[in-house]
Amino acid sequence: MDGIHYDNGMLRKRFSIVFSALFVAGAWADGYPSFSDFRAELRAFYPDECHEQCKDPRQTNSVARIGRALDAWAAAHPGYDALDIRREEYLQVRKHVQPFLFRMSPFYFELGCNGGWTHNDRTVPGRHVNRLCNRFYREQNLIPDSAFALQNARNALTLALCCGPFVDDMHHVPPFRTILRKGFKGVRDDVAAALAKCPADDPAGRKELETALVGLDTIHAVQLAFAREAQARLAAGIADDAERRRFERIAESAARCPWEPPRTFYEGLNTLWFVREVLGYVDGTDQFSLGRPDCYFIDLYRADLAAGRLTREEARELVAKFLLTAELHHDGLRTLDSYNDHEMEIPMSLGGFDEQGTWVHNELTDLFLDAHLECGCVFPKLHARISASAPQAYLEKIGTMLMKGHAVFTLLNDDRFVKQFADEGYPVEDARAYIGVGCWNGMIDSVMDYSGGNYLSVMKILEMTVHRDPAAEKRAQLAIDPIDGAKTYEDVREILYRNVIRFTRHVLGEYARWGRANAKVFPHPVYTMCLRGGVESRRDTTEGGIAAQPRIVTLGFLGNVVDCLSSIRQLCFVDKACTLEEFLAAVRSNWKGPRGEELRQLAMAAPSWGDNSPQTNGEMAWWVKRVNADVEGMRTEQGYPWKFAIYTYREFMYWGLRMKATPDGRRDGDRLAQGFSPSEYRCRSAATTVINAIGSFPHECLYASNVNLTFDRSAMSAGTLAAILRVYAQKGAHMIQPNCNSVEELLDAQKHPENHQDLIVRVCGFSCRFIALSKRWQDEVIARHRLK
């Protein structure tokens, strides 16, 4: 492998020449311009690594001033609570906010918090409140240090992961439908009316509403600051006609929208960016979606064309710059090798049923898909919705993009999600209005807030059952029963299950017990009032102020668990190729014992998840049904039933690296199965077999699942992929994340990266240019089983 791949600076220098040549030449086949100046301007502002601060000191200095003011206020008011400091933060934002307008961009939204990724309090005032209130955990005895220590120990041992202290405080569903219908002013009017009627015996509710009013007025002030900035630019004089027209439009639109609903296609697109950014900025909530622009704005688009306010060429430029804004939030050629680099959580949903039940595949759908491909975007992530009844042209368009190496899709199945939400009691119009959020969750726009970043590793419990580690068990406060000496396969499974469910119930209990503290530390009143039920309840989402707050826990690597149990059953109790003690000894030796490799090969040949055998299909269903049954009656911190999912992020690599050999044939450090997918080590089946296996599962037992499948391009066509997606939807599964490539192409890309700069692969919950992957990640993608 050419050593240049490992040096970020040299890599960027080498390929900047190639990219610049393409852009200057205007190389897009269907006429898209190069946007080279636009790209250069945005890259000069945004950080190279997406979690860092933007490069403009005006933005970072502005946030620093707000932070210093909040620190001073907190010191002067030692008795403050979280709503007090939140209100003060809103006021300081009005004083110090620094809007940023790009010369080449038509959009106004940029506040420097990198598109809504808000975990860094150096870039987001809303997170500074969270930091200042963290002391309440100890001072008010909200959560004891021992509980934090236990959570940290379990995270460190790769037993569990929560994207926050006992509650996932990262993933939120943007309230686009609310703002597009009534604007932030409409929300303010609702809050003001509720405040006027607030009962005198509800001081907490009054304080929530009053704080939200201050926050909503702050959002209006932020919007008007963009209008003033545009007016100042115009007053200073702009020679370029196109640039002057852009600032005139910004000045006009920012004076009213999104305080009021958008009136044009342009204002609609801008509203998506503005809502995502401003709610992250003022409330510290990661708003992980750009909604459904082809569904929301088709009427505005057509009306603009009919009235002569917009030409198709202007629309193409708007869409391209809308998408490139997401793409340029980071350096897409920076080498990916860590846990969350290249992860900006900027998804956008396309297709699917609209609220009236009509399938959305219109000229905007095609415009966004075409621009995404021709502009070479990795971001925004495309959360395209599919269905067994989806138009053939739509599915084939996705298939064509995959065949071209543009693997940027999470494909969410309307036939599962819409039915699932309707069965849970949501109006069918709401069920159809779900959007893709984060990496893969489907959630209802303007109705839901949720906690989805909660991982439990069933496979880690199995590993600890096989490889006993008393010190680790003590550190994690686990009670692990050994399987040594079990007389039947049923005994083995039952012992393992007891270990798993004991741990699961304890973790869920800890989350429910301590998760309530989030309301005292991290309220987000403005965001709450934009969600259905928030105004009426007068309570923050962190206090259960809305009715739709699913909490989802993923059962990590259950496919590997099924394979492990299948190997034990086959070798020790069916074929009797060895005793259980002999088999466990081989596993514990990392398959290096006297019969180690022989037994490993036999283990690998046993039935495995994805082979569509009654045994493995039944085993997978048994586990999920049993876990659901055994947590029945347990409730989240908000009082709702727990929901389970099977999806995983980069843990399949990084948790696998830290896991010892297991009975499925894995060696020490081998990667784990991705989500609901078959193990890469065990899968020998064709596409039809794997999809039938997945389709055999009772998916109503899960809230979500993701399947990452790689298809052999030599055996595929756009039509074949469309047929596969249609069948997959018929089977009722939740999501599929496909790749379609060849080993030969990927190997050539390793040797000659300059020839493959546009090759994009789906890694797990995100995509990446193959040439930007580190060597070990490239090798992992190359080694995946390709379905024919």
Side-chain angles (χ1 to χ4, degrees):
M1 171 64 190
D2 185 46
I4 194 171
H5 183 85
Y6 298 96
D7 188 301
N8 292 340
M10 292 179 67
L11 180 72
R12 287 197 298 273
K13 182 176 180 181
R14 179 174 180 175
F15 292 118
S16 66
I17 299 171
V18 178
F19 275 96
S20 296
L22 275 172
F23 298 157
V24 171
W28 310 123
D30 66 349
Y32 278 92
S34 62
F35 301 117
S36 56
D37 292 341
F38 175 77
R39 292 172 184 262
E41 184 184 18
L42 267 63
R43 285 302 311 124
F45 176 87
Y46 289 117
D48 291 339
E49 209 295 307
C50 53
H51 303 152
E52 297 170 354
Q53 295 172 289
C54 65
K55 298 172 184 174
D56 191 295
R58 289 172 294 177
Q59 305 299 120
T60 53
N61 291 341
S62 168
V63 175
R65 286 193 295 271
I66 295 170
R68 289 194 296 271
L70 290 175
D71 290 342
W73 188 92
H77 300 81
Y80 71 86
D81 64 21
L83 283 177
D84 293 331
I85 192 68
R86 179 67 75 197
R87 181 180 186 277
E88 184 62 23
E89 178 243 320
Y90 291 152
L91 295 173
Q92 293 298 330
V93 165
R94 291 188 211 174
K95 294 180 183 179
H96 300 294
V97 67
Q98 177 62 58
F100 189 89
L101 294 175
F102 297 102
R103 288 181 55 251
M104 305 297 296
S105 174
F107 303 115
Y108 58 94
F109 69 91
E110 185 55 66
L111 297 169
C113 68
N114 203 16
W117 183 272
T118 67
H119 260 53
N120 188 344
D121 66 0
R122 295 179 302 158
T123 65
V124 183
R127 279 283 168 173
H128 202 92
V129 170
N130 192 209
R131 185 176 68 78
L132 286 170
C133 294
N134 278 342
R135 64 185 181 87
F136 296 159
Y137 288 127
R138 176 173 290 178
E139 291 180 4
Q140 299 179 18
N141 198 30
L142 299 177
I143 302 177
D145 290 346
S146 58
F148 278 118
L150 178 58
Q151 184 184 44
N152 292 337
R154 288 173 170 175
N155 289 353
L157 290 167
T158 68
L159 280 159
L161 171 67
C162 180
C163 296
F166 300 95
V167 175
D168 171 12
D169 65 7
M170 287 176 55
H171 301 84
H172 297 277
V173 187
F176 291 126
R177 288 195 300 162
T178 296
I179 305 307
L180 293 174
R181 288 172 178 172
K182 63 175 65 175
F184 282 108
K185 181 181 183 298
V187 178
R188 190 198 188 283
D189 291 344
D190 292 343
V191 174
L195 181 61
K197 298 177 182 178
C198 183
D201 60 354
D202 185 14
R206 175 170 293 277
K207 189 169 187 175
E208 175 81 8
L209 295 172
E210 289 173 341
T211 307
L213 279 182
V214 176
L216 287 159
D217 287 340
T218 293
I219 287 179
H220 192 203
V222 169
Q223 176 189 307
L224 295 178
F226 280 103
R228 290 194 299 273
E229 180 71 12
Q231 291 161 356
R233 298 279 191 96
L234 290 166
I238 300 174
D240 181 84
D241 289 343
E243 184 178 337
R244 185 173 61 255
R245 287 194 297 272
R246 280 194 293 271
F247 281 104
E248 288 172 346
R249 180 167 57 181
I250 289 172
E252 178 185 357
S253 293
R256 54 164 300 277
C257 180
W259 189 244
E260 298 175 16
R263 297 175 182 171
T264 66
F265 178 58
Y266 157 71
E267 288 183 348
L269 289 181
N270 189 82
T271 295
L272 301 185
W273 275 116
F274 192 97
V275 168
R276 185 177 189 273
E277 184 88 355
V278 79
L279 289 178
Y281 192 78
V282 301
D283 266 9
T285 52
D286 301 314
Q287 300 289 315
F288 284 166
S289 181
L290 285 173
R292 304 179 66 191
D294 61 337
C295 180
Y296 299 152
F297 305 135
I298 186 60
D299 290 339
L300 290 177
Y301 172 75
R302 290 169 177 167
D304 283 353
L305 290 178
R309 291 187 294 266
L310 183 73
T311 67
R312 285 181 172 81
E313 290 71 24
E314 290 169 338
R316 283 158 57 87
E317 180 174 344
L318 279 175
V319 167
K321 288 187 173 181
F322 179 88
L323 298 176
L324 285 169
T325 298
E327 172 70 13
L328 298 168
H329 268 69
H330 78 146
D331 179 359
L333 289 175
R334 187 184 178 111
T335 302
L336 181 152
D337 192 51
S338 187
Y339 183 79
N340 63 351
D341 48 348
H342 283 247
E343 181 50 270
M344 295 186 292
E345 294 286 17
I346 308 180
M348 178 183 72
S349 298
L350 295 173
F353 293 107
D354 65 14
E355 292 182 28
Q356 289 72 45
T358 302
W359 186 266
V360 177
H361 179 212
N362 53 44
E363 52 268 44
L364 279 184
T365 313
D366 288 338
L367 186 54
F368 277 97
L369 289 173
D370 290 342
H372 202 282
L373 175 64
E374 296 301 332
C375 291
C377 293
V378 177
F379 287 95
K381 303 177 183 183
L382 292 186
H383 284 185
R385 290 166 51 168
I386 62 173
S387 166
S389 60
Q392 182 69 13
Y394 171 76
L395 296 180
E396 285 195 11
K397 195 172 193 74
I398 293 171
T400 297
M401 293 172 72
L402 290 169
M403 290 290 290
K404 291 182 177 181
H406 201 71
V408 294
F409 293 101
T410 290
L411 301 171
L412 296 93
N413 183 11
D414 274 24
D415 299 345
R416 169 53 53 197
F417 278 104
V418 174
K419 182 180 187 304
Q420 177 173 298
F421 292 138
D423 288 347
E424 291 178 359
Y426 296 99
V428 69
E429 295 80 9
D430 285 339
R432 294 171 181 148
Y434 80 90
I435 57 176
V437 181
C439 291
W440 38 54
N441 269 312
M443 295 289 157
I444 301 178
D445 174 358
S446 300
V447 173
M448 287 181 168
D449 194 12
Y450 82 109
S451 172
N454 310 285
Y455 288 53
L456 298 181
S457 179
V458 183
M459 189 62 169
K460 184 65 177 181
I461 297 295
L462 184 147
E463 182 220 35
M464 295 179 75
T465 303
V466 172
H467 300 271
R468 300 302 302 281
D469 186 345
E473 293 172 25
K474 181 178 180 181
R475 184 180 170 198
Q477 296 184 20
L478 286 176
I480 297 290
D481 298 327
I483 58 173
D484 302 71
K487 302 302 182 185
T488 66
Y489 166 71
E490 288 71 23
D491 289 343
V492 171
R493 183 172 70 172
E494 192 62 30
I495 291 167
L496 174 62
Y497 180 78
R498 285 203 307 268
N499 292 338
V500 168
I501 197 62
R502 188 186 297 128
F503 174 66
T504 300
R505 290 178 65 88
H506 190 266
V507 170
L508 300 190
E510 291 279 287
Y511 287 172
R513 181 180 182 186
W514 306 121
R516 299 184 183 95
N518 200 36
K520 304 290 187 182
V521 176
F522 192 28
H524 18 265
V526 171
Y527 175 58
T528 295
M529 296 303 137
C530 296
L531 300 177
R532 184 178 301 166
V535 172
E536 293 78 8
S537 72
R538 306 184 295 275
R539 293 296 184 272
D540 204 83
T541 61
T542 56
E543 292 187 274
I546 67 170
Q549 291 188 272
R551 183 142 193 205
I552 307 161
V553 177
T554 189
L555 302 172
F557 318 112
L558 204 51
N560 291 108
V561 172
V562 169
D563 290 354
C564 287
L565 290 171
S566 176
S567 294
I568 290 174
R569 178 181 180 275
Q570 194 70 32
L571 272 66
C572 303
F573 300 103
V574 176
D575 296 340
K576 297 186 178 179
C578 60
T579 65
L580 178 60
E581 287 68 27
E582 289 172 327
F583 186 65
L584 293 177
V587 176
R588 289 163 180 162
S589 72
N590 194 23
W591 309 101
K592 294 178 181 178
R595 300 182 61 195
E597 185 57 28
E598 173 197 352
L599 293 179
R600 179 176 177 272
Q601 291 301 323
L602 291 173
M604 298 277 283
S608 59
W609 167 241
D611 65 6
N612 200 32
S613 65
Q615 177 191 328
T616 57
N617 290 354
E619 191 73 41
M620 179 66 79
W622 183 92
W623 274 86
V624 176
K625 288 180 178 180
R626 183 83 181 269
V627 172
N628 270 292
D630 281 348
V631 301
E632 184 71 30
M634 296 187 72
R635 292 293 183 266
T636 70
E637 70 279 358
Q638 306 287 11
Y640 301 113
W642 291 93
K643 307 288 186 179
F644 289 103
I646 299 179
Y647 48 64
T648 48
Y649 191 57
R650 303 186 204 192
E651 292 83 9
F652 80 91
M653 167 79 88
Y654 290 113
W655 287 14
L657 286 171
R658 298 174 57 189
M659 188 172 289
K660 296 178 181 178
T662 44
D664 55 347
R666 286 182 56 263
R667 296 187 176 95
D668 290 356
D670 282 349
R671 66 195 188 281
L672 297 161
Q674 296 187 47
F676 207 53
S677 310
S679 166
E680 296 288 354
Y681 298 109
R682 298 285 287 267
C683 186
R684 298 173 292 277
S685 302
T688 301
T689 303
V690 171
I691 290 173
N692 282 336
I694 293 166
S696 74
F697 183 82
H699 290 278
E700 64 274 9
C701 296
L702 294 174
Y703 201 84
S705 66
N706 75 327
V707 176
N708 301 342
L709 299 178
T710 299
F711 297 94
D712 187 333
R713 192 169 65 184
S714 67
M716 293 292 145
S717 67
T720 302
L721 286 169
I724 289 172
L725 297 180
R726 195 179 301 280
V727 171
Y728 189 85
Q730 285 176 335
K731 298 292 184 180
H734 287 87
M735 289 168 282
I736 180 171
Q737 299 186 132
N739 277 301
C740 186
N741 51 48
S742 68
V743 172
E744 293 75 18
E745 178 185 30
L746 299 181
L747 289 173
D748 190 68
Q750 280 190 322
K751 294 178 181 178
H752 305 290
E754 66 278 5
N755 297 332
H756 299 273
Q757 54 84 25
D758 58 348
L759 176 59
I760 300 170
V761 295
R762 192 71 180 175
V763 183
C764 49
F766 69 103
S767 298
C768 184
R769 299 185 192 282
F770 182 77
I771 62 173
L773 294 173
S774 68
K775 178 64 163 55
R776 67 174 173 178
W777 275 105
Q778 287 185 345
D779 289 345
E780 189 280 323
V781 172
I782 291 170
R784 293 181 183 182
H785 175 67
R786 280 158 180 78
L787 300 170
K788 297 184 178 181

